[in-house]
Amino acid sequence: AVVSTQSTGEEVGVEHLLRDIKDTTVGTLSQHLTTQVVALKSLQSKLHDISVYLTQVSDGKLPVNHPIIYQLQDVFNLLPNLNVPDLMKAFTVKTNDQNLVMYTASIIRAVIALHSLINNKTTNRAAEKEGTKKVEVEKEDKDEKEKDTKEKEDSNKKEVKS
């Protein structure tokens, strides 16, 4: 058996880590960031493939495929002009606001979970103390009953002798 001594805060932290509390309906900040990283890597891979294709076409290693070139032209024509300073600032502010809300929500959920764990811990300790007190009270009651029973038996024996 392993014996570990730690403070209440450490116990709560360890209990929190050992619990597997997952709410699949609510994404965490890390899940959101992981999804965005995967999407950006996918975009980077596709852009790299397009770049390789265009390089090979310009070097004459591949023949020109006009439908692909037309599709690429449409994609580039539909891209907005992001070099406008006001637009760049608006995107940055909007993104920062969204990330702040997600970060704050994640912190609040963590604090609520820790608060719940602390309440659970104190409830369990109180119940444990009550259980110990009940056992002591039951033992005292049992001893008193045995004592009363013995006294009755002794008094019955005395009456029988008289």
Side-chain angles (χ1 to χ4, degrees):
V2 175
V3 178
S4 174
T5 58
Q6 62 264 358
S7 68
T8 304
E10 291 170 334
E11 286 178 15
V12 169
V14 169
E15 283 181 12
H16 182 67
L17 290 174
L18 294 177
R19 277 194 185 172
D20 189 21
I21 301 172
K22 278 193 176 181
D23 186 2
T24 56
T25 60
V26 180
T28 63
L29 178 62
S30 63
Q31 288 172 337
H32 179 72
L33 291 176
T34 302
T35 304
Q36 287 197 350
V37 166
V38 168
L40 288 173
K41 284 183 179 179
S42 174
L43 177 64
Q44 181 184 19
S45 169
K46 290 176 186 196
L47 289 174
H48 178 71
D49 291 345
I50 291 170
S51 174
V52 168
Y53 171 75
L54 290 174
T55 302
Q56 289 179 350
V57 167
S58 67
D59 290 344
K61 296 179 182 175
L62 287 176
V64 175
N65 187 338
H66 291 287
I68 293 175
I69 300 298
Y70 294 147
Q71 285 285 355
L72 288 174
Q73 187 63 43
D74 287 341
V75 168
F76 292 129
N77 286 337
L78 292 173
L79 288 175
N81 181 9
L82 297 178
N83 290 330
V84 178
D86 291 338
L87 183 63
M88 290 173 58
K89 183 177 180 183
F91 276 135
T92 303
V93 168
K94 178 95 172 162
T95 303
N96 287 345
D97 289 347
Q98 290 173 347
N99 288 336
L100 176 66
V101 168
M102 285 180 32
Y103 182 68
T104 305
S106 293
I107 290 173
I108 290 170
R109 284 181 40 218
V111 168
I112 289 171
L114 286 172
H115 182 70
S116 175
L117 281 170
I118 291 170
N119 284 343
N120 187 23
K121 184 75 172 179
T122 55
T123 303
N124 287 343
R125 282 193 179 161
E128 190 178 284
K129 285 180 182 178
E130 275 186 28
T132 305
K133 287 180 182 178
K134 284 183 181 178
V135 169
E136 289 174 1
V137 169
E138 288 173 2
K139 187 176 180 184
E140 288 174 4
D141 289 344
K142 185 178 175 185
D143 290 345
E144 285 180 23
K145 285 181 184 178
E146 287 178 1
K147 189 176 182 181
D148 289 342
T149 307
K150 265 189 171 182
E151 287 176 359
K152 285 181 184 178
E153 288 175 358
D154 288 344
S155 65
N156 286 342
K157 286 180 183 178
K158 286 181 183 179
E159 287 178 8
V160 172
K161 286 183 181 180
S162 335

